[in-house]
Amino acid sequence: MTIVRNDPAQYDALAQQWWRPRGMFAMLHWLAAARAALVPPATRPGAVLVDFGCGGGLMAPHVARLGYRHVGVDLSATALPQALAHGVAAIRGDVRAVPLADGCADVVTAGEILEHVTELPAAIAEACRLLRPGGLLVVDTLADTALSRFVAVTLAERLPGGPPPGIHDPALFVNRKVLVTECARHGVRLALRGIRPSMTGTARWLTGRVEVVRMVPVGTTSVLFQGIGRKENA
Ligand SMILES: C[S@@+](CC[C@H](N)C(=O)[O-])C[C@H]1O[C@@H](n2cnc3c(N)ncnc32)[C@H](O)[C@@H]1O
């Protein structure tokens, strides 16, 4: 059977996997924890965190105590009810044209979504548009390098804990220069750092001793990386 890479229908076929820590989305759990660790507690009542491509809402338990209203945006009709059930105010929408007001967000996260989106600049523009001055953008995604294509597709799709086969289209992997330049154009200076799953954590996960693997910093952004930056004050 021919796999259509990055086919949105895959998320429907995999809908039962979202909340299984040993399922096909296992690594998304690890990444959600690492992403949430970059989000500081809310500094004002009513603060809003907008979660681009929230999927099943895996970040919800990690940000629940930070004091934000957690709003999710996703296209997947089967993922959204699961996000809702975990306390995310999840709305159906496209991250390239989000149905939310300018400056409504104290934090925008875009976790493992930018590498699934055609028209990357439109998604970045939307993330920056939603941020209020001083608001925080947190992203994690895959770089558009040969190494990344090898590690995240050729290798990882064959490994336990790796992404479901066909979920990524390497042609959409993210050009770091474009990401940083587009963010800067919209007033967010993004700093990048590479991350990977901890080796010992992965060994412990494989042998069933832990449910979550810690993501650790790595000296290159050429595979998996996080980005963080604040929107400049007007
Ligand atoms: C790899 S999953 C990541 C989910 C979540 N951020 C996480 O880390 O658990 C990618 C998600 O992006 C959603 N998605 C893909 N393209 C989208 C778009 N243009 N607008 C909104 N959501 C999109 C998919 O439905 C899917 O839920």
Side-chain angles (χ1 to χ4, degrees):
M1 196 181 74
T2 314
I3 296 179
V4 179
R5 289 194 165 271
N6 197 46
D7 179 357
Q10 290 177 75
Y11 294 102
D12 299 330
L14 294 167
Q16 300 311 314
Q17 299 289 329
W18 281 110
W19 283 92
R20 293 185 185 161
R22 302 196 153 271
M24 304 285 277
F25 290 139
M27 196 165 162
L28 291 180
H29 290 249
W30 318 343
L31 285 158
R35 187 179 318 125
L38 298 180
V39 178
T43 54
R44 62 181 194 97
V48 170
L49 181 155
V50 178
D51 183 352
F52 269 29
C54 63
L58 301 187
M59 212 170 55
H62 304 288
V63 296
R65 278 178 296 278
L66 297 178
Y68 295 93
R69 176 158 191 256
H70 185 175
V71 177
V73 181
D74 203 289
L75 285 173
S76 169
T78 50
L80 289 170
Q82 301 187 50
L84 272 168
H86 286 85
V88 181
I91 54 176
R92 193 155 191 203
D94 191 317
V95 298
R96 295 166 299 183
V98 179
L100 293 171
D102 295 1
C104 66
D106 299 76
V107 177
V108 174
T109 61
E112 304 306 303
I113 163 85
L114 297 179
E115 72 274 26
H116 295 281
V117 174
T118 56
E119 303 161 59
L120 175 69
I124 296 168
E126 282 296 83
C128 298
R129 177 183 70 77
L130 297 187
L131 281 176
R132 62 176 61 244
L136 187 71
L137 177 63
V138 177
V139 309
D140 47 88
T141 187
L142 288 161
D144 68 338
T145 63
L147 180 62
S148 184
R149 288 188 281 275
F150 174 71
V151 173
V153 179
T154 312
L155 196 60
E157 286 189 358
R158 292 170 170 80
L159 295 176
I167 206 86
H168 288 125
D169 176 355
L172 295 177
F173 283 7
V174 171
N175 181 297
R176 289 159 290 172
K177 195 168 173 197
V178 170
L179 174 64
V180 169
T181 305
E182 288 297 315
C183 284
R185 217 158 63 81
H186 297 287
V188 176
R189 189 182 302 184
L190 204 67
L192 308 185
R193 71 163 188 172
I195 53 169
R196 63 164 171 78
S198 133
M199 299 291 189
T200 48
T202 304
R204 289 165 66 82
W205 182 81
L206 286 169
T207 52
R209 284 179 289 164
V210 294
E211 292 290 273
V212 175
V213 176
R214 201 164 54 87
M215 303 302 295
V216 295
V218 61
T220 175
T221 57
S222 60
V223 182
L224 179 60
F225 65 94
Q226 293 174 316
I228 185 164
R230 282 199 182 274
K231 183 160 179 180
E232 66 195 17
N233 288 308

